[in-house]
Amino acid sequence: MNPWTGEILALANTPTFNPNTYRDARDESLRNRAIQDLYEPGSTFKIVTASAALEQSVVHPEDLIDVRGGTMRLGTRVIHDTADHGVLSFTDVIVLSSNVGAAKIALRLGAERFGLYARRFGFGRQSSPDFPGESPGILWDPAKQSDGALASMGMGYQVGVTPLQMAAAVSAIANGGDLYEPRVASAVVKDGHRVAVPHKLVRRAVEPGIAAAMTAIMEQVVERGTATMAQIPGYGVAGKTGTAAKLVNGRYSHSEYNASFVGFVPARKPVFAIVVVQIGRAHV
């Protein structure tokens, strides 16, 4: 996506199908997964958690958050980190992708404020009229959200999103805080006349200073955090990885995961915002 306009520059799904043998294609190959399939984004959603927390001043980049033990229990729900990180700065909660830290930040925010920012970033609604089959996603009603569900949402569970929504959300960070409507058509030509489709600013998601702070944190994610494989020699890259256990027959699997990456490049004055989602057995 062009983060400054909302223009979709490339979109692809795999497995795909051969339109010359359409009748032979399997149903799952005919879906436009980028706009139709919902998934729990996992840690890529922490860009929303962190943005909301910074703008609401419930935390500052150098504040220390205790994540010792690597686990957190809320009723019957247990939240795990991949390692015991001890005490982390807020920045490193995102850089090292601490689930316990993100859950604690979400609880500080509260359901009402967190839900407000999730909607500001475009979740829970259809993103664009250019995709009639687009799913609106799933967001909890804040009034019905338990502490366990709120903590889980902070780390990217208990929310259903599409790749298109994630692309628009990360673009809002990339461009300084503005959420644009994704568009796949740049112009309409009729009777020899070309009429450009205007770019549509939906709303401001966060203030420019918050977007700049998030960009700096996401640069560190790529430089020394969970997304070092996204480094590109000669370019600054801002990004965030995510892994979420896949729901199989109503239960979270211990072997199948939704793995994803969101980011933009160059990190300063970006040209592209990119989302990659792998639905399957990968665990990253």
Side-chain angles (χ1 to χ4, degrees):
M1 181 181 287
N2 181 334
W4 306 98
T5 64
E7 293 173 281
I8 302 296
L9 305 176
L11 186 154
N13 299 278
T14 185
T16 185
F17 67 96
N18 184 346
N20 295 309
T21 56
Y22 179 85
R23 293 181 180 179
D24 297 332
R26 296 181 178 181
D27 288 345
E28 61 266 27
S29 298
L30 298 175
R31 294 179 62 81
N32 187 345
R33 292 177 177 81
I35 66 165
Q36 291 178 289
D37 284 10
L38 296 181
Y39 69 104
E40 288 179 298
S43 295
T44 56
F45 200 75
K46 289 173 184 172
I47 64 173
V48 180
T49 311
S51 296
L54 287 173
E55 187 156 277
Q56 289 295 309
S57 297
V58 303
V59 71
H60 298 92
E62 300 309 317
D63 286 355
L64 298 180
I65 298 176
D66 187 352
V67 298
R68 284 176 291 187
T71 61
M72 176 181 178
R73 182 178 292 275
L74 289 165
T76 60
R77 193 184 304 264
V78 180
I79 293 170
H80 297 276
D81 280 342
T82 56
D84 183 350
H85 295 297
V87 178
L88 294 176
S89 68
F90 167 77
T91 293
D92 280 353
V93 165
I94 307 304
V95 171
L96 300 177
S97 207
S98 167
N99 291 331
V100 173
K104 289 187 173 184
I105 292 165
L107 291 171
R108 290 188 193 181
L109 267 171
E112 196 67 40
R113 286 191 291 186
F114 197 3
L116 171 65
Y117 277 87
R119 286 171 172 79
R120 278 191 187 180
F121 274 97
F123 298 102
R125 58 178 289 276
Q126 290 181 319
S127 302
S128 171
D130 285 7
F131 300 100
E134 180 192 359
S135 171
I138 300 171
L139 281 182
W140 281 79
D141 178 349
K144 299 177 181 179
Q145 199 168 27
S146 67
D147 282 350
L150 174 59
S152 294
M153 184 175 164
M155 57 187 241
Y157 283 84
Q158 301 289 314
V159 57
V161 309
T162 66
L164 183 68
Q165 289 175 333
M166 285 303 307
V170 76
S171 289
I173 298 295
N175 68 32
D178 289 333
L179 181 72
Y180 279 93
E181 186 176 87
R183 301 309 301 262
V184 75
S186 60
V188 176
V189 178
K190 184 177 181 181
D191 299 329
H193 297 284
R194 183 181 187 277
V195 179
V197 175
H199 308 138
K200 183 176 180 180
L201 174 62
V202 179
R203 70 178 69 86
R204 178 170 289 282
V206 288
E207 291 302 314
I210 302 302
M214 283 304 304
T215 295
I217 292 172
M218 292 170 69
E219 285 180 294
Q220 293 187 58
V221 173
V222 175
E223 290 169 3
R224 61 181 182 88
T226 59
T228 55
M229 292 182 68
Q231 294 175 7
I232 302 174
Y235 292 91
V237 180
K240 185 72 190 78
T241 55
T243 304
K246 189 175 178 180
L247 275 173
V248 179
N249 298 323
R251 294 180 178 273
Y252 286 109
S253 171
H254 294 291
S255 60
E256 297 193 27
Y257 300 84
N258 299 329
S260 59
F261 172 82
V262 301
F264 45 92
V265 63
R268 308 300 169 102
K269 297 183 179 179
V271 176
F272 305 117
I274 299 170
V275 175
V276 180
V277 182
Q278 177 174 318
I279 307 297
R281 298 183 181 276
H283 190 188
V284 297

